[in-house]
Amino acid sequence: MLRDVAAGGYRFLPGIAAFSAGVVAQPGWEVVHARLAAPMPWREGFARIDRHLKDVGRPRAALCGIMLRSPAPFTFDGFDGFNQGYRALLGDWGILVDGANPIPRTNVAPVVGAPAEPSLYAFDYTVAGSTPGPTFVVAGAGELRERAGGAEGIVRRGETAPEAMREKARFVVAIMQERLLALGVSWDRVTAIDVYTAHPIHGIVEEEILRAASPAAVHGVHWYPSRPPIQGLEFEMDLRGVARELMLASCSYTGRGAAD
């Protein structure tokens, strides 16, 4: 199922039109994770990515992961509308592979301090390098059954009681596991487990996430009090396994306070 991006030094697991399900570096290459000091509007963010790739001597094809922050969750139609413009930019960059989008993505809405418009938070790219095992990125996923249409596909839709949240988390962890296997990697190579929800996760972390992650449990969980990108979803996760993470300077933005 994996497809090559020869110019980028990685392979990707096909997903939907808006993003792939994940990427894994090819031998001789490694994935680097870069986070901006402050999010910036996503189109400006892509210009920042372009400058950085040029600085490190890498082509646009090396881009292999995007993390966005949005003001609030989209409606299903609003999400599709945003994705059209996003995908068009990737097309302009020459990144699409025979019409398929190879870039995994996470796009969530922070509960506090959300940007005023969809903004770039972090990105991933490949560089020449050798690591003990392959480096990779697993795209964000929420509790949405991919084969079901619209809101009807949400696991325990409209429910946020502890048991409902456990079921949602269990569903998403299973997606993460499937994607790891499809990329040819395993939990022991995971260096970051990111969780996005506005609800308490203390019980879920130990019983539903860390036990499944087992070898990666030593790294803990990064909890971002945020909402998934589509209205009605309550729980999202993404994963990565990298050897290098960077913090890059960016222009500041005006965040929204808790009262907004």
Side-chain angles (χ1 to χ4, degrees):
M1 294 179 62
L2 295 179
R3 300 181 61 182
D4 290 336
V5 181
Y10 69 89
R11 308 181 76 194
F12 72 96
L13 181 63
I16 62 175
F19 45 84
S20 75
V23 299
V24 61
Q26 294 179 325
W29 299 94
E30 67 169 296
V31 174
V32 176
H33 181 74
R35 180 161 59 93
L36 301 184
M40 56 196 306
W42 72 275
R43 291 185 182 275
E44 296 177 24
F46 267 80
R48 180 69 181 88
I49 292 172
D50 206 24
R51 292 196 302 273
H52 181 72
L53 291 177
K54 289 177 180 177
D55 288 343
V56 297
R58 296 294 289 141
R60 288 175 169 179
L63 179 64
C64 63
I66 289 290
M67 302 179 81
L68 302 177
R69 298 294 185 262
S70 291
F74 295 88
T75 63
F76 277 91
D77 288 342
F79 192 62
D80 289 342
F82 172 79
N83 287 334
Q84 289 177 13
Y86 173 82
R87 181 181 163 87
L89 186 149
L90 295 181
D92 291 342
W93 272 33
I95 284 178
L96 302 181
V97 179
D98 296 329
N101 185 348
I103 309 295
R105 194 181 82 191
T106 297
N107 184 0
V108 295
V111 172
V112 177
E117 60 183 290
S119 298
L120 178 70
Y121 176 76
F123 62 97
D124 305 282
Y125 62 96
T126 58
V127 297
S130 177
T131 55
T135 48
F136 57 90
V137 177
V138 176
E143 76 277 20
L144 182 66
R145 297 183 181 92
E146 296 182 13
R147 296 185 180 181
E152 295 299 321
I154 298 175
V155 175
R156 301 288 290 266
R157 180 163 66 100
E159 300 181 51
T160 57
E163 186 52 40
M165 293 302 299
R166 287 178 183 276
E167 187 171 337
K168 292 171 183 286
R170 199 173 300 132
F171 178 86
V172 174
V173 169
I175 293 176
M176 297 292 103
Q177 174 70 27
E178 291 171 1
R179 292 179 176 178
L180 286 173
L181 291 174
L183 291 170
V185 295
S186 55
W187 284 107
D188 66 304
R189 295 296 304 162
V190 172
T191 58
I193 303 171
D194 296 328
V195 174
Y196 309 92
T197 183
H199 304 281
I201 65 169
H202 299 84
I204 292 174
V205 167
E206 181 177 353
E207 298 177 16
E208 304 297 341
I209 300 176
L210 294 183
R211 288 184 182 176
S214 191
V218 68
H219 302 304
V221 166
H222 300 261
W223 175 30
Y224 295 83
S226 303
R227 295 183 174 87
I230 298 176
Q231 293 175 9
L233 296 177
E234 303 290 350
F235 189 91
E236 180 155 342
M237 285 179 64
D238 62 36
L239 308 173
R240 64 182 175 274
V242 300
R244 286 190 274 176
E245 300 205 6
L246 309 176
M247 174 74 77
L248 302 180
S250 62
C251 64
S252 61
Y253 79 107
T254 301
R256 295 173 17 159
D260 290 338

